[in-house]
Amino acid sequence: YSLISYHFRSFHSCVIVLIPFRMSTEDLLVAELRSLVSSHLSPYYDTHFNLLRWIQAHPGVSVDKIADRLRHHLLYRACSWEIDGIHQKERGYHPIHRYWPRSKCGMSGVIPSCLVHVEQSGQIDFDGILDNFSIAEVMRARIFDIEEMFADVMQIEKETGDQSSVIYVMDAEGIEYTKKLMDLVLGSLRALSEFMADHYVELVKYFVIVNVPSWAYTLWLMIKPLLPERTRLKIILSTSNWRKEIHSLMDPSVGPSFWNDENHNEFKLQMERPPKVPRVEITEPAEKLEKLYVKAGAVQWIEYSLEKGDAIAFHVTGNANFGFTIVRAENEDEDDAFAMRQIYPLFSWMPGPLKVPIEDSVIVPESGVYKVWFSNSRAWWSSLSIQHNIKVIKNQ
């Protein structure tokens, strides 16, 4: 029970009335989770529904273990990419946005408090994007879109007092079955979807795939076992009658007008089509790269003692899948990257060999020990070869 005190002042006396009320199980769990992660919560992220989503995403899991996963997410939000405020940037600040159009359509109008997003999955030039941008830059561009979506959901929750979510429609029109598609689905897109699933739990209510080619059902049987169960249960593969079926999920007026055909004219939203990405030759690094070998199932660290304002500039690539991050260590012996303060976002795995190296730099916010983490923990047999050029630029 909690107690609410009412104070009535009359004739110079004070009467206190104590009224008991029972908190719901949901409120108790949210309160417990909040207490466990309070030192990492930002005012922006600290809402009832944001914490509730983590509880809903992990049924049967103890609050202590949920707190560990949420704490990892909050450490990611505090990295140098400034996740809490990234949605406030003007879309288009990243060049990938030109080739991956905004997907927001509007409110469902059918399912309460649900936003509709339509991604033109079959039209986006994923090959061109991944031939010209590193997987880390693809992640950065997509995080803006997910955070913009997340901010919209939070605003709806603030205005209505009800939990909000997203219906994410993927339009497969134009997609072709090729080896490149298989590599894309099982590599870069899988890494991207796993990263988003780890960090943006219960944000999407349904994934709806429309314009599904007949061969896609065979592909679905291959991909299905790789997906978490809760994600699998949210995926709806539409039939050939999808233009009618979609009415059960959304008001057709918020659907893109390119869905119209000779029998349908109810889809009204104008959406831009994505252009192809011009091919640019990737230049070789001007300086010689160092090599680092990581055994199967192992990780390697490179450690630096830095002063506030120093920068770490890096060029990194690898010959196989690998994990990467830069973290702030409390002491030299700390070795759990998932529990450490992230300076550069932690990517538990990225598909290799990388077509485009990761090139970036970060400025350290305080003096201390910083560690660059390379992981080959997913490998059973093969060693990993990392080629890198990492420089420390001292603050002047």
Side-chain angles (χ1 to χ4, degrees):
Y1 289 85
S2 293
L3 299 176
I4 301 176
S5 299
Y6 294 88
H7 298 262
F8 302 93
R9 190 171 300 278
S10 176
F11 300 101
H12 307 290
S13 65
C14 181
V15 179
I16 300 178
V17 181
L18 301 178
I19 304 176
F21 71 92
R22 185 182 297 275
M23 293 180 71
S24 68
T25 302
E26 176 185 292
D27 289 337
L28 288 170
L29 289 172
V30 167
E32 183 181 358
L33 182 58
R34 178 179 280 113
S35 70
L36 292 172
V37 299
S38 59
S39 62
H40 294 85
L41 273 175
S42 67
Y44 173 76
Y45 194 85
D46 186 7
T47 75
H48 173 83
F49 290 118
N50 283 349
L51 299 181
L52 178 61
R53 274 185 269 275
W54 286 88
I55 295 167
Q56 293 170 334
H58 302 96
V61 178
S62 71
V63 178
D64 284 345
K65 289 184 178 179
I66 295 172
D68 289 340
R69 297 175 188 182
L70 173 53
R71 198 174 292 114
H72 172 62
H73 172 71
L74 297 173
L75 289 167
Y76 146 74
R77 298 192 72 84
C79 77
S80 61
W81 286 8
E82 299 178 335
I83 305 301
D84 275 3
I86 198 170
H87 67 280
Q88 296 173 337
K89 294 183 178 182
E90 191 71 29
R91 193 178 196 277
Y93 82 93
H94 198 291
I96 289 177
H97 292 154
R98 181 182 176 191
Y99 309 107
W100 200 321
R102 179 180 263 124
S103 58
K104 181 178 177 180
C105 294
M107 297 300 294
S108 160
V110 175
I111 299 179
S113 302
C114 260
L115 276 168
V116 174
H117 280 249
V118 174
E119 179 182 280
Q120 301 174 59
S121 306
Q123 299 292 320
I124 294 171
D125 184 7
F126 291 114
D127 284 341
I129 289 173
L130 292 166
D131 283 345
N132 288 273
F133 300 95
S134 73
I135 186 65
E137 287 305 311
V138 175
M139 294 281 196
R140 191 197 295 260
R142 289 304 290 156
I143 285 169
F144 170 88
D145 290 328
I146 302 297
E147 281 291 325
E148 187 178 56
M149 185 190 306
F150 184 53
D152 288 340
V153 163
M154 288 175 60
Q155 185 61 35
I156 293 168
E157 291 170 343
K158 182 178 179 180
E159 292 173 357
T160 66
D162 296 323
Q163 186 172 355
S164 178
S165 57
V166 173
I167 298 170
Y168 203 84
V169 184
M170 290 173 281
D171 186 347
E173 181 192 10
I175 200 166
E176 296 180 357
Y177 186 78
T178 63
K179 183 183 181 300
K180 274 192 170 184
L181 174 66
M182 293 298 298
D183 292 342
L184 183 67
V185 169
L186 298 177
S188 299
L189 291 186
R190 182 183 172 192
L192 180 62
S193 63
E194 283 189 18
F195 180 86
M196 297 305 175
D198 285 344
H199 287 286
Y200 297 95
V201 299
E202 297 301 298
L203 179 61
V204 175
K205 188 177 186 70
Y206 299 119
F207 293 96
V208 184
I209 308 176
V210 301
N211 268 317
V212 182
S214 58
W215 52 259
Y217 293 94
T218 303
L219 181 61
W220 167 240
L221 292 176
M222 297 172 60
I223 298 171
K224 188 176 179 180
L226 305 175
L227 300 174
E229 182 181 4
R230 289 184 69 83
T231 301
R232 291 201 303 268
L233 294 174
K234 293 179 179 182
I235 294 177
I236 301 172
L237 263 67
S238 63
T239 69
S240 59
N241 198 31
W242 64 267
R243 287 181 176 84
K244 182 177 179 180
E245 293 170 351
I246 203 79
H247 290 209
S248 66
L249 297 173
M250 57 184 279
D251 183 326
S253 66
V254 302
S257 58
F258 52 72
W259 281 355
N260 291 319
D261 62 11
E262 63 273 11
N263 298 316
H264 296 270
N265 194 36
E266 66 268 38
F267 304 109
K268 305 298 183 185
L269 183 68
Q270 298 297 314
M271 293 186 77
E272 63 175 316
R273 288 295 207 175
K276 295 291 183 182
V277 182
R279 277 18 181 199
V280 177
E281 186 175 345
I282 304 299
T283 57
E284 293 293 324
E287 300 183 47
K288 185 178 179 181
L289 301 179
E290 296 184 40
K291 287 189 176 181
L292 175 72
Y293 294 97
V294 188
K295 293 180 181 178
V299 302
Q300 287 277 16
W301 298 92
I302 302 176
E303 185 177 304
Y304 300 93
S305 182
L306 303 175
E307 301 296 324
K308 179 180 179 180
D310 289 349
I312 302 177
F314 51 92
H315 174 113
V316 173
T317 189
N319 70 338
N321 299 345
F322 69 95
F324 176 75
T325 188
I326 301 174
V327 293
R328 164 78 160 88
E330 293 299 324
N331 57 70
E332 294 181 358
D333 296 327
E334 193 173 7
D335 62 0
D336 183 359
F338 290 84
M340 298 162 73
R341 181 179 176 185
Q342 298 173 33
I343 306 304
Y344 193 81
L346 189 154
F347 300 116
S348 58
W349 78 282
M350 293 178 286
L354 295 185
K355 289 185 177 180
V356 182
I358 301 170
E359 288 189 275
D360 208 341
S361 64
V362 291
I363 298 174
V364 304
E366 58 186 344
S367 301
V369 176
Y370 291 84
K371 295 185 175 185
V372 181
W373 177 79
F374 296 102
S375 171
N376 193 26
S377 58
R378 288 200 177 198
W380 286 69
W381 311 108
S382 302
S383 294
L384 166 70
S385 174
I386 295 288
Q387 296 83 47
H388 68 86
N389 182 2
I390 302 175
K391 289 183 176 180
V392 172
I393 304 170
K394 302 300 290 184
N395 183 29
Q396 300 299 322

